[in-house]
Amino acid sequence: MTVTELRPVTKQKFQVKIEGQPAFVLYKGELSRYHIEKDREISSEIYREITEEILPKRAKMRAMHLLEQGDRTRKDLEEKLLKSGYPLNAVDEALAYVESYHYIDDKRYALSYILSQKEKKGKARIQMELRRKGVSQEDIDQAFAETEEETDPTEVIRELIRKKKRGEEPMEEKEKSRLYGFLMRRGFSSSDILSVLREF
């Protein structure tokens, strides 16, 4: 295996390419310790030590650091670690590690996300955002089932209309149409929006 490129990522970190393919990111000191240089062979023993011992340990620490900043979905954490230059095996080990301690839990994330967003957005919008974050439909459905009893979408719509409404006079069709479009984009159902708009 030949090192074909050492590309600086920061002043201290370098992406190592082996046979033209990105292999991993190492610190400057590690490059000297393992005698990793461009156009030089890397032994299978050193390659194994880096990919199976050093990087999985580092990926776990990075994952823990990211989770200290806030709850994340599995997909989000995976993408962040891959973007940081960790090889797939190190990322998989780090994810398995944090999952084993329930530091990541997509259903818990969905539950927390719904509770924080339900006063501003409708179910459809929240579902779309959670799917984009990599949460499974099953976890989304279960989380909604646990929170739905507490949430009346028409009450949320009513509150949003009160905040957006111009003045106390009855609304004209143009304003109703504007509010209808705003609420639809927030993911509320057409029937819920229309039933509340009739009250105004």
Side-chain angles (χ1 to χ4, degrees):
M1 295 184 288
T2 307
V3 175
T4 48
E5 191 185 340
L6 295 174
R7 188 175 62 80
V9 177
T10 65
K11 280 184 180 178
Q12 291 301 318
K13 285 182 181 177
F14 290 79
Q15 185 184 67
V16 180
K17 286 192 178 183
I18 294 173
E19 309 295 351
Q21 295 302 311
F24 37 72
V25 172
L26 290 178
Y27 287 99
K28 204 173 184 177
E30 290 166 334
L31 295 178
S32 356
R33 190 192 319 154
Y34 292 111
H35 308 292
I36 294 171
E37 294 167 17
K38 190 177 180 297
D39 300 324
R40 187 171 178 166
E41 288 278 318
I42 179 170
S43 74
S44 52
E45 289 80 26
I46 286 174
Y47 182 83
R48 189 203 58 76
E49 188 181 332
I50 291 167
T51 57
E52 293 178 25
E53 291 173 30
I54 289 169
L55 295 177
K57 194 185 289 181
R58 191 173 292 158
K60 286 174 194 171
M61 286 164 65
R62 177 73 180 141
M64 292 296 289
H65 177 68
L66 288 166
L67 290 169
E68 279 169 14
Q69 295 169 4
D71 209 6
R72 294 176 186 275
T73 62
R74 189 182 202 282
K75 182 190 175 194
D76 182 32
L77 192 57
E78 180 181 36
E79 284 174 353
K80 284 264 190 288
L81 291 171
L82 289 169
K83 204 173 173 183
S84 296
Y86 291 101
L88 199 53
N89 72 299
V91 171
D92 288 342
E93 269 196 54
L95 292 172
Y97 174 77
V98 293
E99 270 178 330
S100 72
Y101 289 98
H102 298 285
Y103 294 146
I104 53 170
D105 179 332
D106 280 3
K107 188 190 157 199
R108 184 187 67 216
Y109 182 92
L111 202 56
S112 165
Y113 192 81
I114 291 165
L115 290 170
S116 71
Q117 299 297 311
K118 68 179 183 176
E119 302 301 328
K120 301 175 270 187
K121 298 170 187 170
K123 186 175 178 178
R125 173 78 178 266
I126 294 171
Q127 281 202 66
M128 181 188 75
E129 289 173 357
L130 284 169
R131 279 199 299 269
R132 200 182 290 143
K133 290 170 181 288
V135 181
S136 73
Q137 192 59 51
E138 186 186 354
D139 283 340
I140 294 170
D141 291 342
Q142 284 179 8
F144 267 114
E146 287 179 32
T147 57
E148 234 149 37
E149 296 154 23
E150 310 158 27
T151 317
D152 175 7
T154 57
E155 197 44 57
V156 178
I157 292 168
R158 218 169 271 121
E159 191 52 40
L160 285 168
I161 289 174
R162 281 191 201 107
K163 285 178 184 172
K164 290 274 178 186
K165 189 173 174 291
R166 294 175 181 147
E168 291 302 313
E169 302 77 36
M171 281 191 281
E172 293 177 11
E173 284 309 307
K174 190 178 178 184
E175 189 175 7
K176 278 187 180 180
S177 174
R178 179 182 68 80
L179 284 167
Y180 178 84
F182 163 75
L183 292 161
M184 281 296 283
R185 286 191 297 278
R186 287 289 180 105
F188 294 100
S189 76
S190 180
S191 57
D192 284 341
I193 297 168
L194 292 170
S195 76
V196 177
L197 280 173
R198 284 188 203 105
E199 298 170 12
F200 290 87

